[in-house]
Amino acid sequence: MGRSTGKWFWLVFICILLPVVAVAETVYETQTEFLERAFGGPPPAPGIAWLSGERKQNVQKILGHDYPALRVRYWCRNGRSAWSLEEIGKDLPITVGIVIVNNYIENLRVLTYRENRGGEVATPSFTEQFNGSGLNERGALDTAIDGITGATLSVRALTRLAEVALFLHSDVGCHDGS
Amino acid sequence: MGRKKARASRTRRLHRSLGAGAAVFILFMALSGIAINHARSLGLDQHHVSQSFLLSWYGIDEPAQIHSVLVGDGWLSFTGAHVYFNGKYLSPLTGGVGAINNADLIIAAGSHELLLIDRAGRLIERSAWNRQDSGSIESIGLLENGLTVIKSDGSFWMADAELLQWRPLDHTFAVQTWSEWTGEPDEISQAITTHYRGTSLSMEQLFLDLHSGRIFGTAGTLVYDLLALVVGFLAISGVVLWFRGQRNGKKKHSHKH
């Protein structure tokens, strides 16, 4: 009985296993949906923030490396701005939509998640932590963000993008009347 | 008394048999667990699997198809969900449709995204294409006036020079050229294949999948669950056997006296 049980386990182990690899891109919200939500209807015309000179250096300081593109598109109306930014979590870029109102984050949402682990950062219970955050005098988030075990790099990526968006909001001069 | 002895003997046999079988599993779990705990210091997250059979097991074969376009003097190649410029990895992009060369810009189109690239192969911007009044991108081309045109869901859209705004076009415009695939040089396809296979699977991922059983799919996870139950049984049967041994030892000891 015992001997046959042991053999049975190994037989099952070898015979019925099939390789399944799930590497998928998850789109939680399209850019159009994000912008309509951010502005409660059609968004304003987009602006372009070129990442060059001092702006590039500041973004590099926040991220620890260059932003993966040379320019960033944004939408601004009366002190409310919307940003669609991306940063590599571990291997692939995470696209994040961030809405800022008068230098504070109103909402942050993962738009597209491409990594095959760490997707917990897209859950509202995590992203809601960013609501109401601004930058402190050192240029870092003034709110402590609780991490997620097993998603450290994705958490770090989202935190850095929140800081970049807050910096750019102020740097491009998106304020009331603009 | 005889029945008790038979039961004890059966438990012992089962304990030995399962224990011997599970020993390899326990040892493997212990070693892979240590490796995962120290993945960063061991550099497992930076090293990639290059063994052909492992990559094939994961379904990471040579890219099924490489579609390339000659844009200016550079080759833009699409494979799977990735774009390469002159054989060098550029960015993820799903559903590659084509690319055009517009003045100093290269514009690569995926099914739902556009990439703006400079002549040196640097990404300028990733721009989403998700117009509610249109579907996915079918083709990308250049108008005679040098502006970019997109065909989507049978309708046509023209971009401004900065590629910021799109407006619909009627059918009276003249397209200078639509992007078409061209066979890339061998050295480009070889560089892409090497990169594609060589960076798809990190050692850390492999260890994690081996440790969890996910490398064998759902069935693997279930078998690992079963083996975990066997380990649990071994712990309990070990305690039971030890306890009986203690009790029998005491009895023998008291009989002697």
Side-chain angles (χ1 to χ4, degrees):
Chain A
M1 170 70 183
R3 233 171 277 163
S4 64
T5 310
K7 280 179 187 167
W8 182 81
F9 275 122
W10 296 114
L11 195 68
V12 167
F13 188 79
I14 291 161
C15 293
I16 67 169
L17 308 180
L18 292 168
V20 177
V21 181
V23 181
E25 175 180 295
T26 310
V27 179
Y28 291 97
E29 191 171 46
T30 65
Q31 196 180 81
T32 309
E33 290 163 349
F34 161 65
L35 292 173
E36 293 219 330
R37 184 170 55 78
F39 292 96
I48 288 287
W50 282 94
L51 302 179
S52 56
E54 204 174 325
R55 183 181 286 158
K56 180 183 172 172
Q57 284 173 5
N58 280 313
V59 170
Q60 190 188 45
K61 204 170 139 191
I62 295 169
L63 294 175
H65 57 82
D66 281 334
Y67 187 78
L70 300 177
R71 76 183 197 188
V72 169
R73 190 175 299 215
Y74 69 97
W75 294 260
C76 167
R77 183 192 286 152
N78 297 330
R80 169 184 291 269
S81 68
W83 302 83
S84 172
L85 302 173
E86 62 183 47
E87 165 73 335
I88 290 176
K90 184 166 173 56
D91 298 311
L92 293 168
I94 306 166
T95 307
V96 180
I98 304 165
V99 183
I100 296 172
V101 180
N102 297 327
N103 294 314
Y104 289 95
I105 293 175
E106 184 184 75
N107 180 266
L108 179 149
R109 189 174 288 184
V110 173
L111 303 182
T112 306
Y113 195 82
R114 299 175 181 86
E115 304 271 11
N116 56 6
R117 281 187 291 138
E120 298 85 352
V121 291
T123 56
S125 58
F126 175 74
T127 55
E128 280 166 8
Q129 293 185 88
F130 290 91
N131 297 356
S133 299
L135 290 180
N136 61 23
E137 63 283 356
R138 287 179 290 110
L141 278 191
D142 60 7
T143 311
I145 303 297
D146 292 335
I148 298 174
T149 309
T152 314
L153 296 176
S154 297
V155 169
R156 199 178 298 164
L158 260 64
T159 307
R160 285 173 177 170
L161 287 184
E163 291 169 351
V164 169
L166 284 163
F167 162 72
L168 289 174
H169 172 93
S170 161
D171 199 50
V172 300
C174 182
H175 42 71
D176 276 339
S178 60
Chain B
M1 190 65 181
R3 199 181 290 173
K4 270 188 179 177
K5 266 191 175 177
R7 203 166 58 203
S9 162
R10 219 170 31 239
T11 308
R12 196 170 290 117
R13 277 206 309 274
L14 195 60
H15 181 83
R16 279 180 189 159
S17 164
L18 289 178
V24 180
F25 174 71
I26 294 168
L27 197 65
F28 169 73
M29 291 301 274
L31 292 175
S32 59
I34 291 169
I36 290 165
N37 276 348
H38 300 279
R40 278 203 162 184
S41 47
L42 291 171
L44 296 180
D45 56 340
Q46 299 301 320
H47 287 87
H48 292 88
V49 175
S50 57
Q51 281 76 14
S52 190
F53 75 97
L54 272 172
L55 292 170
S56 301
W57 178 256
Y58 268 80
I60 306 167
D61 292 315
E62 289 185 6
Q65 274 183 317
I66 300 173
H67 292 304
S68 299
V69 190
L70 183 62
V71 275
D73 48 4
W75 286 92
L76 205 72
S77 306
F78 303 77
T79 183
H82 304 287
V83 180
Y84 294 78
F85 183 74
N86 281 337
K88 200 176 151 200
Y89 184 71
L90 182 65
S91 172
L93 182 73
T94 47
V97 165
I100 51 138
N101 182 21
N102 187 346
D104 286 336
L105 284 179
I106 295 167
I107 301 157
S111 56
H112 290 93
E113 277 182 316
L114 293 156
L115 300 182
L116 269 70
I117 304 155
D118 69 9
R119 299 290 289 273
R122 292 176 303 177
L123 182 66
I124 296 173
E125 191 191 0
R126 175 191 299 279
S127 153
W129 176 269
N130 33 45
R131 308 192 61 83
Q132 283 176 340
D133 42 3
S134 179
S136 55
I137 298 174
E138 290 163 19
S139 6
I140 183 167
L142 268 181
L143 294 172
E144 277 185 340
N145 59 11
L147 294 176
T148 308
V149 61
I150 290 281
K151 185 182 177 195
S152 167
D153 244 5
S155 56
F156 298 90
W157 300 80
M158 185 182 78
D160 59 20
E162 284 275 329
L163 224 74
L164 289 176
Q165 304 274 26
W166 293 87
R167 64 182 179 83
L169 276 176
D170 57 27
H171 288 71
T172 57
F173 62 90
V175 174
Q176 182 186 322
T177 174
W178 286 109
S179 170
E180 283 182 4
W181 303 130
T182 318
E184 70 284 345
D186 283 349
E187 61 267 27
I188 299 274
S189 55
Q190 274 166 15
I192 292 169
T193 304
T194 306
H195 179 273
Y196 183 85
R197 294 200 87 197
T199 56
S200 297
L201 180 63
S202 74
M203 291 294 281
E204 186 187 13
Q205 183 67 53
L206 177 68
F207 270 83
L208 276 166
D209 291 346
L210 282 168
H211 191 76
S212 64
R214 279 196 297 262
I215 192 169
F216 304 113
T218 312
T221 314
L222 291 174
V223 171
Y224 271 43
D225 290 345
L226 218 58
L227 287 168
L229 290 175
V230 169
V231 172
F233 168 81
L234 287 172
I236 294 165
S237 60
V239 170
V240 168
L241 290 170
W242 173 80
F243 184 71
R244 279 187 185 153
Q246 289 283 97
R247 205 172 49 187
N248 291 343
K250 271 183 191 167
K251 275 183 186 170
K252 276 181 190 171
H253 191 68
S254 63
H255 281 310
K256 274 184 186 174
H257 289 283

